[in-house]
Amino acid sequence: LGFLLSLVQMAGMSLGVLVGVAADSAGFRRSMLTGQAILACASIAGAGVHGPFGLLALRALEGLGFLLVVLSAPSLIRQLVPPSRLALYLGFWGTYMATGAAVALLSGPVVIALAGWSGWWVLTGCISVLMGVWVARRVPSDAARRQAAPAPAAAVDTWQQRLRLTLSRSGPWRVALIFLFYAGQWNAVIGFLPSIYVNAGIAG
């Protein structure tokens, strides 16, 4: 279970920078829609898989979709929200993991008791479908936003230049170190607290 949970963090650690560069090149709206589609397909397909290797593979695929969505969101917010409200909306975005985990921990056992774990996977896949439809309807296309945005003073043309620029700055490395300590604690609590409760005789 701990390995299953850590696959998303593994994807972030090994692919985060490359996925971010790819999202920047492909367009943030397109990347978010692709990520939601991957999340939806992997979750719904996972409901029919009962072997551990299939579930692990789909979980890793979910990690890719998760990265495409999460890495695109702040840039979309920066492009769509007026500067006076940017801090507020980025603050809301920063709560997605805690809010999602809390909602899942509270509602997951109820849904699983009614529809089983496969029903829970289908439900989360359907939520991704709904979010993808909402983004497709409400967020302007990448081309339209590029035309409306002022041209940057010094454009960085190739993905190699963007990658080099990112890795040569100290800020991303400091954030990565902070996330390392956060992810270690988060995985320990989310992954093993249920087992600790069971061993202590505390019911679900």
Side-chain angles (χ1 to χ4, degrees):
L1 176 61
F3 182 69
L4 190 67
L5 285 167
S6 66
L7 278 177
V8 170
Q9 278 71 32
M10 178 65 73
M13 182 182 73
S14 57
L15 300 174
V17 173
L18 297 177
V19 172
V21 170
D24 190 32
S25 301
F28 297 116
R29 179 180 180 272
R30 185 179 294 114
S31 296
M32 182 166 282
L33 290 173
T34 302
Q36 293 288 7
I38 291 172
L39 284 168
C41 291
S43 294
I44 294 172
V49 175
H50 295 280
F53 296 108
L55 290 174
L56 288 172
L58 288 171
R59 182 63 172 172
L61 189 61
E62 279 187 324
L64 175 61
F66 177 80
L67 285 176
L68 285 169
V69 171
V70 169
L71 294 175
S72 301
S75 297
L76 275 177
I77 292 171
R78 288 191 65 178
Q79 293 176 4
L80 296 172
V81 174
S84 60
R85 309 194 72 186
L86 184 59
L88 174 65
Y89 280 88
L90 285 176
F92 282 140
W93 172 82
T95 67
Y96 77 89
M97 180 65 82
T99 302
V103 171
L105 287 171
L106 289 172
S107 60
V110 177
V111 175
I112 291 172
L114 294 173
W117 70 266
S118 58
W120 176 243
W121 277 49
V122 169
L123 177 61
T124 58
C126 291
I127 291 172
S128 288
V129 170
L130 292 175
M131 289 307 304
V133 170
W134 185 87
V135 170
R137 291 174 60 90
R138 298 299 302 271
V139 177
S141 69
D142 295 307
R145 290 197 323 279
R146 287 194 189 103
Q147 291 175 356
V156 181
D157 295 326
T158 66
W159 69 267
Q160 293 97 331
Q161 289 175 314
R162 290 194 291 273
L163 182 61
R164 191 180 306 112
L165 181 65
T166 301
L167 296 179
S168 64
R169 302 296 174 92
S170 63
W173 290 103
R174 290 199 298 268
V175 172
L177 185 62
I178 292 169
F179 183 76
L180 167 68
F181 292 114
Y182 160 77
Q185 297 176 72
W186 188 89
N187 276 328
V189 173
I190 297 298
F192 301 110
L193 189 60
S195 300
I196 295 171
Y197 276 179
V198 169
N199 291 334
I202 301 173

